[in-house]
Amino acid sequence: MVRESKTALAQDDTPISFREVLGNRDFLLLWAGQIFSQLADKIFLIFMIALIRLEFTRPGEDAASSALISALYMAMSIPAVLFGSLAGVFVDRWPKRLMLAGTNLARGILVLFVPLLPKEFMALLLITFLVSTLTQFFAPAETSTIPLILERRYLLVANSLFTTTMMGSVILGFALGEPLLALVGVTHGNWLVGGAYVIAGFLLLGLKAHEPPADPTNQDSVLDDIKEGLAYVWSNSQVRAAMVQLVVLFSIFAALSILAVGLSKTIGLKEEQFGFLLAMAGVGMALGAWLLGRFGQRFQRSTLAFWGSLVIAGVLAALALVKSLIPVLALCALLGLAAAIVGVPMQTVIQEETPPDLRGKVFGLQNNAVNIALSLPLLLVGLATDAVGLQAVILVIAGLCLLSAFSLRYANRRVKL
């Protein structure tokens, strides 16, 4: 059944502090669980790559190592496309507390048992595939739980805090993952990663999500539930516009992860140092999320997203023209800041506008769309860069971002987000 949407206006211009939001016990547990789960996700990837290099490649076999690591990335990516929408259906049907805790405990157990696996590359791929599959269930459950434990006026600040934490975990996870694995030894890395998942699971067991009981008379099939989620997204212009904006945003960052390699060469860095550009974008995103948490509730959601998109388009155009290290690093930080100003309000709109019994389905569809948006640029951007050049590709992406910004503005001219 399709629901009528509510008007999503800025709720209150009274500043809300992070401390006030963290004063909610259930949100504090959810946030702490996110910290351990996100760090485990990032270090898990480094752990798997380190195991591949230790057990399945020899020094000088760079081509073989790259092929195995590519297969590992495929094993992590396929579940996101296959199970995103399906996971969202079960998030609405099952208790979210058990979903959140269970997926983390299950991932922890899988990783802890890695040393007992046969010394076969396919065994590592299977574990990676299973861990990634469980992650597809955890992600929509986490996003759906936030509006169950917090009042509507706290959602923007809560999402800002979650985004800050997520970007911090990306920076810290990738920065500290290798030193931590070196400290405990690669062969004992399962205790580090699996332990973090288990801690997250036990923290989330203490959560009270205050969710309405499931309808025992519901006889709808999984396909019917997915169709219901699609129908709601299509019928609600605010949710649809916000989701499109998020898909565009993630597509831009996926493209940037590829373009950063070529961009690093133009500013005097080595190709393998492209991570500096992405790290600066992460720092900017964390800063933008923090600023939104402090001041964002004073502005309408669509206004934030519109101006953030304009800044992204301008920064991308500048990146196509600037060829000096310091200005490019500053632009990358500004790009991340603007991305937060787009992403956090749009995520908040979807939470505010979606009824509790549809959130899992909608966020499952969102995860599916975002994961496809993350995958397509990996296939297309490299080919386009070879065909027309780095500068032209960046300018085209800037133009698409600009088009998206004005499309969103037009879509919400009559109903303000």
Side-chain angles (χ1 to χ4, degrees):
M1 180 176 64
V2 176
R3 275 80 168 173
E4 294 296 326
S5 66
K6 305 178 290 296
T7 301
L9 298 174
Q11 297 301 304
D12 190 350
D13 60 2
T14 304
I16 297 171
S17 67
F18 287 121
R19 180 181 296 181
E20 192 175 351
V21 174
L22 290 171
N24 181 303
R25 172 190 173 275
D26 292 317
F27 181 79
L28 180 60
L29 286 172
L30 186 64
W31 179 65
Q34 185 215 21
I35 292 174
F36 282 98
S37 181
Q38 289 275 352
L39 285 173
D41 284 342
K42 305 306 175 290
I43 301 175
F44 172 74
L45 177 59
I46 298 170
F47 172 53
M48 288 289 114
I49 291 172
L51 276 182
I52 288 172
R53 287 176 173 160
L54 178 68
E55 297 182 0
F56 301 105
T57 62
R58 298 173 183 173
E61 294 182 339
D62 293 338
S65 177
S66 297
L68 294 179
I69 292 171
S70 295
L72 181 75
Y73 277 111
M74 289 291 291
M76 292 193 71
S77 301
I78 289 172
V81 177
L82 291 181
F83 304 123
S85 298
L86 179 67
V89 170
F90 289 103
V91 165
D92 282 335
R93 294 187 179 190
W94 296 343
K96 292 177 179 57
R97 179 179 71 92
L98 297 181
M99 182 82 79
L100 291 166
T103 51
N104 276 288
L105 291 172
R107 286 186 291 178
I109 291 169
L110 284 171
V111 176
L112 288 172
F113 277 90
V114 164
L116 303 180
L117 296 173
K119 300 298 181 182
E120 299 287 342
F121 178 64
M122 289 303 298
L124 286 186
L125 285 187
L126 177 61
I127 289 292
T128 302
F129 182 88
L130 292 174
V131 168
S132 180
T133 298
L134 289 165
T135 300
Q136 307 317 308
F137 287 81
F138 174 75
E142 182 184 53
T143 315
S144 301
T145 301
I146 296 175
L148 291 175
I149 59 181
L150 288 173
E151 295 178 19
R152 184 182 174 102
R153 65 194 182 97
Y154 293 118
L155 290 180
L156 184 71
V157 178
N159 283 310
S160 299
L161 185 58
F162 261 67
T163 302
T164 305
T165 307
M166 180 182 70
M167 296 314 303
S169 72
V170 170
I171 297 166
L172 288 176
F174 287 133
L176 299 179
E178 196 166 351
L180 287 173
L181 284 174
L183 182 65
V184 302
V186 173
T187 55
H188 296 99
N190 62 306
W191 294 103
L192 179 67
V193 179
Y197 279 132
V198 169
I199 291 171
F202 279 113
L203 284 169
L204 293 165
L205 274 176
L207 181 72
K208 295 178 182 177
H210 312 293
E211 58 187 306
D215 182 5
T217 64
N218 182 11
Q219 300 296 320
D220 291 345
S221 68
V222 170
L223 184 59
D224 287 336
D225 279 356
I226 293 174
K227 288 179 179 178
E228 184 180 17
L230 281 168
Y232 181 77
V233 171
W234 184 256
S235 68
N236 188 305
S237 60
Q238 296 101 312
V239 171
R240 187 173 68 249
M243 199 172 289
V244 168
Q245 198 74 9
L246 287 173
V247 168
V248 171
L249 179 65
F250 279 96
S251 296
I252 288 170
F253 268 78
L256 183 64
S257 68
I258 302 298
L259 296 171
V261 177
L263 193 59
S264 63
K265 291 173 61 179
T266 68
I267 58 174
L269 294 176
K270 298 177 182 177
E271 284 189 355
E272 58 268 25
Q273 292 178 313
F274 73 95
F276 286 118
L277 306 183
L278 301 181
M280 287 303 296
V283 170
M285 190 173 285
L287 177 60
W290 180 82
L291 289 172
L292 275 173
R294 294 297 305 273
F295 310 109
Q297 60 266 31
R298 302 176 183 178
F299 305 96
Q300 289 179 341
R301 314 288 192 242
S302 60
T303 300
L304 290 168
F306 175 71
W307 288 105
S309 296
L310 291 185
V311 172
I312 290 173
V315 169
L316 287 171
L319 283 173
L321 304 173
V322 176
K323 301 187 184 301
S324 300
L325 175 61
I326 300 302
V328 166
L329 291 176
L331 286 169
C332 286
L334 182 58
L335 183 69
L337 189 150
I341 292 174
V342 175
V344 173
M346 293 298 95
Q347 186 67 71
T348 304
V349 165
I350 299 173
Q351 288 175 338
E352 290 173 338
E353 288 295 305
T354 306
D357 60 323
L358 283 178
R359 284 184 184 133
K361 303 178 189 70
V362 170
F363 289 124
L365 291 168
Q366 178 189 319
N367 284 342
N368 242 151
V370 164
N371 284 315
I372 292 171
L374 289 171
S375 302
L376 283 178
L378 301 180
L379 300 173
L380 301 177
V381 170
L383 295 174
T385 303
D386 290 340
V388 299
L390 177 68
Q391 187 180 63
V393 171
I394 295 177
L395 289 173
V396 167
I397 294 172
L400 292 174
C401 183
L402 199 62
L403 179 63
S404 171
F406 282 100
S407 297
L408 179 69
R409 190 75 159 180
Y410 175 78
N412 296 294
R413 179 175 292 176
R414 289 175 296 177
V415 183
K416 296 180 180 179
L417 291 177

